[in-house]
Amino acid sequence: MIRLVPITALYSALCALLILTLSARVVLQRRATRTGLGDGGQDSLARAIRAHGNAIEYIPIALLLMLLLELNGSGGVVLHALGSTLLVARVLHGWGLSHSAGLSFGRWYGTALTWLVLLAAAALNLFAVLY
């Protein structure tokens, strides 16, 4: 039997668009600073690289946990709560890091919300397996 996972598919697609946006920002910064490799000592390029890299580090595991929850029958409300929070968190983080190398509203709340999604999704998966 084929099981569809439309909610995880939705947030995977939206997160992919976010990752492409962050990737484009790196490319544009590389062109503007004429930097082929690394950050060339350019602060704006370094921030763009980290915003992209950070998204790549966190988004896949969150989506994997969501996929497992959806395959195991979690309700749409839970999945949409996780997915929308993840997307908002990653946009906040990317925006915050793109505008400041230091602590900012976007970075702080983006990180906190991302960790909350990971913790909740991990706990829900553990609960589903153990009970």
Side-chain angles (χ1 to χ4, degrees), residues 83-95:
S84 61
T85 302
L86 175 66
L87 187 60
V88 167
R90 300 321 308 163
V91 167
L92 280 172
H93 188 272
W95 176 81

Side-chain angles (χ1 to χ4, degrees), residues 10-24 59 87 91:
L10 169 66
Y11 292 104
S12 295
L14 293 172
C15 286
L17 293 174
L18 174 60
I19 288 170
L20 284 171
T21 300
L22 294 171
S23 297
I59 289 173
L87 187 60
V91 167

Side-chain angles (χ1 to χ4, degrees), residues 48-73:
I49 291 168
R50 279 312 309 142
H52 174 259
N54 194 276
I56 294 298
E57 292 163 2
Y58 282 100
I59 289 173
I61 188 66
L63 291 173
L64 176 60
L65 289 167
M66 284 181 58
L67 175 63
L68 294 171
L69 286 169
E70 191 164 6
L71 287 171
N72 286 318

